[in-house]
Amino acid sequence: MSASEKAKAKTEQTVGKVEKEVGRAAGNERLAAEGESKEAKGDLRSAKEKSKDAFKN
């Protein structure tokens, strides 16, 4: 996994988790949904990079 893509994936996952939890704690459904979306996007980016690494070897 390239370092920059790995960093982007981790950042999206972390920001998403924080937004999701803050949204839930504050009762803000929109913020919670946005956080969940960002977290999922980070998960997908990470999976994509891992699959690219698997085919390199």
PDB file of all heavy atoms in Angstrom, residues 15-25 28 31-36 39:
ATOM      1  N   VAL A  15     -11.359  10.375  11.087  1.00  0.00           N
ATOM      2  CA  VAL A  15     -12.271  11.524  11.053  1.00  0.00           C
ATOM      3  C   VAL A  15     -13.715  11.040  11.038  1.00  0.00           C
ATOM      4  O   VAL A  15     -14.574  11.594  11.734  1.00  0.00           O
ATOM      5  CB  VAL A  15     -11.973  12.425   9.831  1.00  0.00           C
ATOM      6  CG1 VAL A  15     -13.068  13.451   9.620  1.00  0.00           C
ATOM      7  CG2 VAL A  15     -10.627  13.098   9.989  1.00  0.00           C
ATOM      8  N   GLY A  16     -13.970  10.002  10.282  1.00  0.00           N
ATOM      9  CA  GLY A  16     -15.320   9.451  10.218  1.00  0.00           C
ATOM     10  C   GLY A  16     -15.796   8.930  11.563  1.00  0.00           C
ATOM     11  O   GLY A  16     -16.933   9.185  11.972  1.00  0.00           O
ATOM     12  N   LYS A  17     -14.927   8.204  12.261  1.00  0.00           N
ATOM     13  CA  LYS A  17     -15.303   7.681  13.573  1.00  0.00           C
ATOM     14  C   LYS A  17     -15.601   8.811  14.551  1.00  0.00           C
ATOM     15  O   LYS A  17     -16.571   8.756  15.304  1.00  0.00           O
ATOM     16  CB  LYS A  17     -14.175   6.813  14.147  1.00  0.00           C
ATOM     17  CG  LYS A  17     -14.119   5.443  13.565  1.00  0.00           C
ATOM     18  CD  LYS A  17     -13.005   4.620  14.201  1.00  0.00           C
ATOM     19  CE  LYS A  17     -12.903   3.273  13.542  1.00  0.00           C
ATOM     20  NZ  LYS A  17     -11.871   2.430  14.151  1.00  0.00           N
ATOM     21  N   VAL A  18     -14.759   9.832  14.534  1.00  0.00           N
ATOM     22  CA  VAL A  18     -14.954  10.966  15.449  1.00  0.00           C
ATOM     23  C   VAL A  18     -16.263  11.680  15.136  1.00  0.00           C
ATOM     24  O   VAL A  18     -17.066  11.946  16.033  1.00  0.00           O
ATOM     25  CB  VAL A  18     -13.754  11.941  15.382  1.00  0.00           C
ATOM     26  CG1 VAL A  18     -14.056  13.228  16.126  1.00  0.00           C
ATOM     27  CG2 VAL A  18     -12.506  11.280  15.941  1.00  0.00           C
ATOM     28  N   GLU A  19     -16.490  11.981  13.857  1.00  0.00           N
ATOM     29  CA  GLU A  19     -17.727  12.672  13.473  1.00  0.00           C
ATOM     30  C   GLU A  19     -18.951  11.846  13.843  1.00  0.00           C
ATOM     31  O   GLU A  19     -19.946  12.383  14.324  1.00  0.00           O
ATOM     32  CB  GLU A  19     -17.746  12.954  11.970  1.00  0.00           C
ATOM     33  CG  GLU A  19     -16.939  14.145  11.565  1.00  0.00           C
ATOM     34  CD  GLU A  19     -17.116  14.493  10.093  1.00  0.00           C
ATOM     35  OE1 GLU A  19     -17.989  13.919   9.416  1.00  0.00           O
ATOM     36  OE2 GLU A  19     -16.346  15.348   9.628  1.00  0.00           O
ATOM     37  N   LYS A  20     -18.873  10.541  13.606  1.00  0.00           N
ATOM     38  CA  LYS A  20     -19.998   9.664  13.908  1.00  0.00           C
ATOM     39  C   LYS A  20     -20.321   9.688  15.402  1.00  0.00           C
ATOM     40  O   LYS A  20     -21.483   9.848  15.784  1.00  0.00           O
ATOM     41  CB  LYS A  20     -19.667   8.238  13.458  1.00  0.00           C
ATOM     42  CG  LYS A  20     -20.773   7.236  13.711  1.00  0.00           C
ATOM     43  CD  LYS A  20     -20.477   5.877  13.108  1.00  0.00           C
ATOM     44  CE  LYS A  20     -19.311   5.212  13.802  1.00  0.00           C
ATOM     45  NZ  LYS A  20     -19.090   3.832  13.356  1.00  0.00           N
ATOM     46  N   GLU A  21     -19.303   9.579  16.225  1.00  0.00           N
ATOM     47  CA  GLU A  21     -19.523   9.558  17.676  1.00  0.00           C
ATOM     48  C   GLU A  21     -19.980  10.919  18.204  1.00  0.00           C
ATOM     49  O   GLU A  21     -20.847  10.990  19.074  1.00  0.00           O
ATOM     50  CB  GLU A  21     -18.272   9.088  18.404  1.00  0.00           C
ATOM     51  CG  GLU A  21     -17.922   7.640  18.134  1.00  0.00           C
ATOM     52  CD  GLU A  21     -19.056   6.669  18.442  1.00  0.00           C
ATOM     53  OE1 GLU A  21     -19.728   6.825  19.481  1.00  0.00           O
ATOM     54  OE2 GLU A  21     -19.280   5.767  17.619  1.00  0.00           O
ATOM     55  N   VAL A  22     -19.412  11.993  17.671  1.00  0.00           N
ATOM     56  CA  VAL A  22     -19.841  13.332  18.091  1.00  0.00           C
ATOM     57  C   VAL A  22     -21.295  13.564  17.686  1.00  0.00           C
ATOM     58  O   VAL A  22     -22.092  14.083  18.458  1.00  0.00           O
ATOM     59  CB  VAL A  22     -18.913  14.425  17.502  1.00  0.00           C
ATOM     60  CG1 VAL A  22     -19.510  15.808  17.677  1.00  0.00           C
ATOM     61  CG2 VAL A  22     -17.539  14.348  18.140  1.00  0.00           C
ATOM     62  N   GLY A  23     -21.623  13.151  16.481  1.00  0.00           N
ATOM     63  CA  GLY A  23     -23.000  13.298  16.009  1.00  0.00           C
ATOM     64  C   GLY A  23     -23.982  12.520  16.862  1.00  0.00           C
ATOM     65  O   GLY A  23     -25.059  13.014  17.210  1.00  0.00           O
ATOM     66  N   ARG A  24     -23.612  11.308  17.210  1.00  0.00           N
ATOM     67  CA  ARG A  24     -24.498  10.495  18.053  1.00  0.00           C
ATOM     68  C   ARG A  24     -24.640  11.106  19.444  1.00  0.00           C
ATOM     69  O   ARG A  24     -25.729  11.140  20.000  1.00  0.00           O
ATOM     70  CB  ARG A  24     -23.967   9.071  18.158  1.00  0.00           C
ATOM     71  CG  ARG A  24     -24.184   8.272  16.918  1.00  0.00           C
ATOM     72  CD  ARG A  24     -23.712   6.857  17.079  1.00  0.00           C
ATOM     73  NE  ARG A  24     -23.958   6.105  15.852  1.00  0.00           N
ATOM     74  CZ  ARG A  24     -23.431   4.937  15.590  1.00  0.00           C
ATOM     75  NH1 ARG A  24     -22.629   4.349  16.461  1.00  0.00           N
ATOM     76  NH2 ARG A  24     -23.692   4.330  14.454  1.00  0.00           N
ATOM     77  N   ALA A  25     -23.528  11.562  20.006  1.00  0.00           N
ATOM     78  CA  ALA A  25     -23.561  12.144  21.352  1.00  0.00           C
ATOM     79  C   ALA A  25     -24.397  13.423  21.384  1.00  0.00           C
ATOM     80  O   ALA A  25     -25.088  13.693  22.366  1.00  0.00           O
ATOM     81  CB  ALA A  25     -22.143  12.431  21.833  1.00  0.00           C
ATOM     82  N   ASN A  28     -27.181  14.642  16.655  1.00  0.00           N
ATOM     83  CA  ASN A  28     -27.193  15.193  15.304  1.00  0.00           C
ATOM     84  C   ASN A  28     -27.076  14.043  14.310  1.00  0.00           C
ATOM     85  O   ASN A  28     -25.994  13.526  14.045  1.00  0.00           O
ATOM     86  CB  ASN A  28     -26.032  16.178  15.146  1.00  0.00           C
ATOM     87  CG  ASN A  28     -26.055  16.916  13.834  1.00  0.00           C
ATOM     88  OD1 ASN A  28     -26.598  16.431  12.842  1.00  0.00           O
ATOM     89  ND2 ASN A  28     -25.442  18.088  13.814  1.00  0.00           N
ATOM     90  N   LEU A  31     -24.755  14.647  11.099  1.00  0.00           N
ATOM     91  CA  LEU A  31     -23.325  14.542  11.373  1.00  0.00           C
ATOM     92  C   LEU A  31     -22.919  13.084  11.576  1.00  0.00           C
ATOM     93  O   LEU A  31     -21.880  12.652  11.071  1.00  0.00           O
ATOM     94  CB  LEU A  31     -22.943  15.372  12.602  1.00  0.00           C
ATOM     95  CG  LEU A  31     -21.456  15.426  12.946  1.00  0.00           C
ATOM     96  CD1 LEU A  31     -20.647  16.020  11.800  1.00  0.00           C
ATOM     97  CD2 LEU A  31     -21.237  16.233  14.219  1.00  0.00           C
ATOM     98  N   ALA A  32     -23.737  12.328  12.264  1.00  0.00           N
ATOM     99  CA  ALA A  32     -23.451  10.906  12.475  1.00  0.00           C
ATOM    100  C   ALA A  32     -23.420  10.161  11.139  1.00  0.00           C
ATOM    101  O   ALA A  32     -22.541   9.327  10.907  1.00  0.00           O
ATOM    102  CB  ALA A  32     -24.477  10.287  13.411  1.00  0.00           C
ATOM    103  N   ALA A  33     -24.350  10.484  10.255  1.00  0.00           N
ATOM    104  CA  ALA A  33     -24.401   9.828   8.945  1.00  0.00           C
ATOM    105  C   ALA A  33     -23.191  10.212   8.093  1.00  0.00           C
ATOM    106  O   ALA A  33     -22.624   9.366   7.399  1.00  0.00           O
ATOM    107  CB  ALA A  33     -25.693  10.195   8.230  1.00  0.00           C
ATOM    108  N   GLU A  34     -22.804  11.476   8.130  1.00  0.00           N
ATOM    109  CA  GLU A  34     -21.624  11.909   7.386  1.00  0.00           C
ATOM    110  C   GLU A  34     -20.372  11.208   7.903  1.00  0.00           C
ATOM    111  O   GLU A  34     -19.518  10.794   7.124  1.00  0.00           O
ATOM    112  CB  GLU A  34     -21.446  13.427   7.494  1.00  0.00           C
ATOM    113  CG  GLU A  34     -22.410  14.220   6.662  1.00  0.00           C
ATOM    114  CD  GLU A  34     -22.230  15.720   6.839  1.00  0.00           C
ATOM    115  OE1 GLU A  34     -21.265  16.165   7.487  1.00  0.00           O
ATOM    116  OE2 GLU A  34     -23.080  16.462   6.319  1.00  0.00           O
ATOM    117  N   GLY A  35     -20.269  11.074   9.207  1.00  0.00           N
ATOM    118  CA  GLY A  35     -19.130  10.387   9.795  1.00  0.00           C
ATOM    119  C   GLY A  35     -19.080   8.930   9.386  1.00  0.00           C
ATOM    120  O   GLY A  35     -18.023   8.395   9.058  1.00  0.00           O
ATOM    121  N   GLU A  36     -20.234   8.300   9.384  1.00  0.00           N
ATOM    122  CA  GLU A  36     -20.305   6.897   8.978  1.00  0.00           C
ATOM    123  C   GLU A  36     -19.891   6.747   7.516  1.00  0.00           C
ATOM    124  O   GLU A  36     -19.183   5.804   7.149  1.00  0.00           O
ATOM    125  CB  GLU A  36     -21.733   6.395   9.182  1.00  0.00           C
ATOM    126  CG  GLU A  36     -21.819   4.929   9.455  1.00  0.00           C
ATOM    127  CD  GLU A  36     -23.181   4.540   9.999  1.00  0.00           C
ATOM    128  OE1 GLU A  36     -23.666   5.177  10.939  1.00  0.00           O
ATOM    129  OE2 GLU A  36     -23.730   3.571   9.457  1.00  0.00           O
ATOM    130  N   GLU A  39     -16.100   7.146   7.234  1.00  0.00           N
ATOM    131  CA  GLU A  39     -15.437   5.961   7.761  1.00  0.00           C
ATOM    132  C   GLU A  39     -15.490   4.825   6.734  1.00  0.00           C
ATOM    133  O   GLU A  39     -14.493   4.145   6.486  1.00  0.00           O
ATOM    134  CB  GLU A  39     -16.096   5.525   9.069  1.00  0.00           C
ATOM    135  CG  GLU A  39     -15.401   4.380   9.748  1.00  0.00           C
ATOM    136  CD  GLU A  39     -16.036   4.022  11.084  1.00  0.00           C
ATOM    137  OE1 GLU A  39     -17.085   4.587  11.460  1.00  0.00           O
ATOM    138  OE2 GLU A  39     -15.452   3.159  11.757  1.00  0.00           O
TER     139      GLU A  39
END
